[in-house]
Amino acid sequence: MQDQDVDVDVADAAKETFTSSETDDWKKYKDDDIMQQHSAIQAEQAVKVPFLGDKEPLSSLEAEYHLGNSIVLEKIKVLSEQYAAIRRTRGDGNCFFRSFMFGYLEHILESQDHNEVQHIKSNIEECKKTLQSLGYAEFTFEDFFALFLEQLDSVLQGSEDSISHDELLCRSRDPSISDYVVMFFRFVTSGEIRKRSEFFEPFILGLTNTSVEQFCKSAVEPMGEESDHVQITALSDALGVPIRVVYLDRSSCENNSINVNHHDFIPTSREVGNSDVSKTTNRPSITLLYRPGHYDILYPK
Amino acid sequence: MSASSASSRKTLSKIACNRLQKELAEWQVNPPAGFKHKVTDNLQRWVIEVIGAPGTLYADETYNLQVDFPEHYPMEAPQVIFVPPAPLHPHIYSNGHICLDILYDSWSPAMTVSSICISILSMLSSSTVKQRPEDNDRYVKNCRNGRSPKETRWWFHDDKV
């Protein structure tokens, strides 16, 4: 477990260490030192893990735990029966949104599913109306919406602007595109939560003891804020895109049998595109691997 | 945050320029009450006049806010300070730096100059005492090298004022 934490979320781990130390310790450090150390850690993380890594065989996950917890290793074995590969994302607090971005655009690039694109576009149009009706000034979100729609069009082949898989990966690693798409998802997620605040309120109260509005302002809209069930549910519902999340942790079942749990987020409030859930396997097209505090992309066999 | 804090003074990206022009146009049609944008031809630095709200400790007092936009606005927060003399307030330092979470960690591209102004005015209006932060002297001394408030690690411990 320790291995994983160090590898995955250096920046977050560091943040915790700093904030949990008492004020007395604090006086020893100057702001400058701390800020420098903090950005040094971020830079180090950036060199080690790009926003999105290359596709790696699932055995690389096993290698990460070679000295680690046996339950986790057992679970990885179970996982490898169904999944072939993993694509890691940077642990910068945006990993859920970034994984979803790449997973979805890659799925469209490979499936060339024009119906799905029509379907998500009409949902995006709804999201725009939601934000307008909630009082967001159009200029605050329109650039982010436009940029995502551009990416969506470009993964469809056959036009001048069409891009290859390599180019998609490049763009997903380029902050001037990738961060904007992440922010687009944050707008969509926040709009959905606020619009259905009665539905989301009990979950938010349970998590943070804050109001829906405060939650959106502090845990959804700022970049780098991590996502949890609430955000995933809202994004999946708003865009009408099912998401599977597979959980890898040290928990075991009562009878000591090893199971890997997953949860499918199936949009309820909107019509789901037919092709989103494959009829034969009934499985969402996007699968993410969750380890405490972090999401990566999983590829089924 | 690391590469381009407001102090590095890089020119605005195209997308930042575009966004600021739209924000300025919106401001001209619908400025927040109590604020006046002082027109210059510099899109990257806005100077905004603030008038204390009636019935508050700062009623009829006039101050100036200086807003500097980084290259990657709105992905990155603008730097917002009071041009000294800054109002006497428990969260405002004598060098004009403001301790307000939305200017730093809690910034989001969903916010605007106008929403920042409204938050600052609300922070002023809810103050019950005209005084500097306890650590004012130490902090201001530390900033003598021209450090930007965005390079400070802020603690937001008090949400009452």
Side-chain angles (χ1 to χ4, degrees):
Chain A
M1 213 50 182
Q2 201 122 33
D3 273 337
Q4 179 214 331
D5 286 339
V6 170
D7 270 304
V8 171
D9 264 340
V10 181
D12 291 335
K15 217 188 271 174
E16 263 171 41
T17 329
F18 289 147
T19 44
S20 62
S21 53
E22 286 304 312
T23 17
D24 287 349
D25 294 336
W26 263 92
K27 291 187 178 137
K28 287 187 278 189
Y29 302 104
K30 281 194 178 153
D31 271 2
D32 287 350
D33 301 338
I34 292 164
M35 294 290 280
Q36 263 169 26
Q37 188 179 357
H38 198 81
S39 49
I41 291 167
Q42 275 172 348
E44 196 186 316
Q45 170 86 350
V47 172
K48 216 162 51 176
V49 189
F51 282 157
L52 281 146
D54 292 323
K55 206 167 175 176
E56 298 172 61
L58 211 66
S59 55
S60 79
L61 193 57
E62 206 171 326
E64 209 180 294
Y65 292 94
H66 70 289
L67 293 174
N69 184 275
S70 63
I71 293 172
V72 174
L73 282 168
E74 286 294 320
K75 286 188 176 181
I76 294 172
K77 256 183 216 154
V78 176
L79 269 184
S80 63
E81 286 162 19
Q82 286 181 59
Y83 297 94
I86 180 174
R87 189 187 296 276
R88 293 166 201 273
T89 64
R90 189 185 298 174
D92 61 358
N94 299 311
C95 54
F96 162 69
F97 290 115
R98 197 125 30 211
S99 300
F100 178 79
M101 164 187 75
F102 191 81
Y104 185 76
L105 291 173
E106 187 182 45
H107 167 63
I108 299 298
L109 183 90
E110 284 168 359
S111 66
Q112 292 299 300
D113 187 341
H114 287 257
N115 287 339
E116 166 57 24
V117 172
Q118 281 315 309
H119 156 250
I120 198 174
K121 278 187 177 173
S122 75
N123 285 340
I124 291 171
E125 202 46 48
E126 279 301 308
C127 296
K128 206 176 251 183
K129 287 182 197 150
T130 300
L131 289 173
Q132 284 164 339
S133 69
L134 289 165
Y136 285 74
E138 188 133 0
F139 69 81
T140 58
F141 61 81
E142 61 189 2
D143 295 340
F144 301 90
F145 274 60
L147 203 114
F148 178 70
L149 290 169
E150 223 174 86
Q151 307 315 308
L152 198 54
D153 285 332
S154 68
V155 290
L156 288 177
Q157 301 303 297
S159 84
E160 269 176 37
D161 304 318
S162 298
I163 60 167
S164 64
H165 190 277
D166 281 354
E167 175 63 16
L168 174 61
L169 192 56
C170 260
R171 289 187 181 187
S172 306
R173 289 171 175 170
D174 171 358
S176 71
I177 295 172
S178 199
D179 281 348
Y180 274 79
V181 174
V182 168
M183 192 56 215
F184 161 73
F185 292 137
R186 290 185 178 278
F187 272 115
V188 167
T189 304
S190 187
E192 185 73 13
I193 294 174
R194 286 176 196 240
K195 185 175 81 172
R196 292 163 56 213
S197 59
E198 277 180 30
F199 171 78
F200 285 108
E201 193 173 27
F203 301 100
I204 290 170
L205 278 174
L207 269 176
T208 61
N209 203 23
T210 54
S211 69
V212 170
E213 192 184 329
Q214 194 50 42
F215 178 80
C216 287
K217 270 192 179 160
S218 62
V220 183
E221 292 178 4
M223 289 292 285
E225 289 296 329
E226 287 177 19
S227 298
D228 218 312
H229 260 69
V230 171
Q231 287 93 331
I232 303 176
T233 305
L235 185 69
S236 169
D237 283 353
L239 297 178
V241 178
I243 304 169
R244 169 168 295 186
V245 177
V246 175
Y247 298 89
L248 178 60
D249 55 29
R250 283 188 287 187
S251 64
S252 60
C253 303
E254 286 170 16
N255 52 3
N256 280 335
S257 70
I258 297 289
N259 275 321
V260 181
N261 299 323
H262 70 259
H263 181 77
D264 288 344
F265 293 82
I266 306 291
T268 49
S269 59
R270 307 262 158 82
E271 198 192 327
V272 178
N274 280 334
S275 50
D276 273 352
V277 180
S278 145
K279 292 211 173 73
T280 45
T281 59
N282 200 26
R283 184 150 81 181
S285 315
I286 298 163
T287 306
L288 307 181
L289 175 69
Y290 177 79
R291 288 177 281 168
H294 189 68
Y295 298 87
D296 294 303
I297 305 171
L298 270 186
Y299 292 92
K301 279 190 172 164
Chain B
M1 271 298 183
S2 53
S4 44
S5 71
S7 56
S8 60
R9 295 246 140 263
K10 288 204 180 138
T11 50
L12 296 170
S13 69
K14 207 176 128 217
I15 206 156
C17 221
N18 210 336
R19 155 82 176 241
L20 275 174
Q21 270 154 357
K22 287 187 274 190
E23 265 197 64
L24 191 55
E26 169 65 22
W27 177 294
Q28 279 155 354
V29 183
N30 187 18
F35 294 89
K36 207 164 91 189
H37 176 246
K38 294 187 165 175
V39 182
T40 64
D41 56 1
N42 186 354
L43 192 61
Q44 198 164 2
R45 170 173 288 178
W46 294 17
V47 177
I48 297 168
E49 192 180 272
V50 195
I51 301 172
T56 70
L57 291 179
Y58 307 89
D60 298 327
E61 293 176 17
T62 302
Y63 298 96
N64 284 306
L65 284 168
Q66 178 180 298
V67 186
D68 286 294
F69 298 95
E71 181 188 6
H72 296 295
Y73 181 79
M75 290 307 290
E76 287 173 26
Q79 176 192 288
V80 184
I81 58 169
F82 275 103
V83 181
L88 272 174
H89 183 284
H91 294 173
I92 301 171
Y93 292 87
S94 55
N95 63 359
H97 292 193
I98 306 164
C99 180
L100 180 64
D101 60 351
I102 58 160
L103 299 178
Y104 313 104
D105 293 358
S106 303
W107 165 256
S108 151
M111 296 173 191
T112 62
V113 182
S114 183
S115 69
I116 291 174
C117 285
I118 292 166
S119 295
I120 290 177
L121 190 61
S122 135
M123 183 179 111
L124 284 178
S125 300
S126 55
S127 174
T128 53
V129 52
K130 274 185 158 180
Q131 65 179 37
R132 289 282 173 227
E134 272 176 33
D135 59 341
N136 186 70
D137 292 351
R138 187 161 53 97
Y139 177 75
V140 172
K141 201 171 133 204
N142 259 325
C143 289
R144 272 194 198 142
N145 57 3
R147 188 167 77 178
S148 156
K150 289 178 73 182
E151 292 163 53
T152 300
R153 278 184 62 87
W154 294 96
W155 284 65
F156 307 105
H157 31 57
D158 174 10
D159 52 8
K160 289 188 284 295
V161 181

